Amino acid sequence: MGKIPQRMCIACRQMKDKRELVRCRVTPDGKVEVDPTGKKSGRGAYICRNAECVAKARKYNMLAKALNAEVGDELYDELENNG
Ligand SMILES: [Zn+2]
């Protein structure tokens, strides 16, 4: 039985299978982007692929706090579309 790595969603703070989450990462120039592969280098944070968590993170700017970087509305739009 293969063990699926678990990560914590920054919005609901529950541990989930990595594949149920989307990774966002800080690029070398300090921007935040969605990392669909989950494999790019840089500081990363995970969020559930569901509208509630994306809406909550947007409302409280949780990704920016988790990554200590600026996060624009476009990123949240992208996450909503990825969900
Ligand atoms: Zn969540």
Side-chain angles (χ1 to χ4, degrees):
M1 193 173 98
K3 194 173 183 330
I4 297 157
Q6 298 224 314
R7 296 289 183 273
M8 191 179 69
C9 167
I10 53 113
C12 63
R13 306 189 74 82
Q14 287 183 43
M15 298 297 290
K16 304 245 177 152
D17 292 354
K18 213 173 157 185
R19 64 185 174 195
E20 290 179 48
L21 303 163
V22 183
R23 184 176 187 257
C24 298
R25 68 130 189 176
V26 182
T27 65
D29 58 351
K31 303 267 192 327
V32 178
E33 66 172 18
V34 177
D35 171 16
T37 67
K39 287 177 180 154
K40 290 186 184 170
S41 63
R43 208 143 20 92
Y46 291 84
I47 184 165
C48 295
R49 295 175 188 276
N50 68 48
E52 298 95 274
C53 284
V54 174
K56 187 179 172 190
R58 190 203 290 267
K59 187 173 176 189
Y60 298 105
N61 215 3
M62 294 170 108
L63 266 177
K65 286 173 189 159
L67 293 168
N68 194 25
E70 256 182 64
V71 177
D73 265 346
E74 316 81 55
L75 186 89
Y76 289 111
D77 292 341
E78 201 180 336
L79 285 170
E80 275 176 0
N81 296 332
N82 269 338

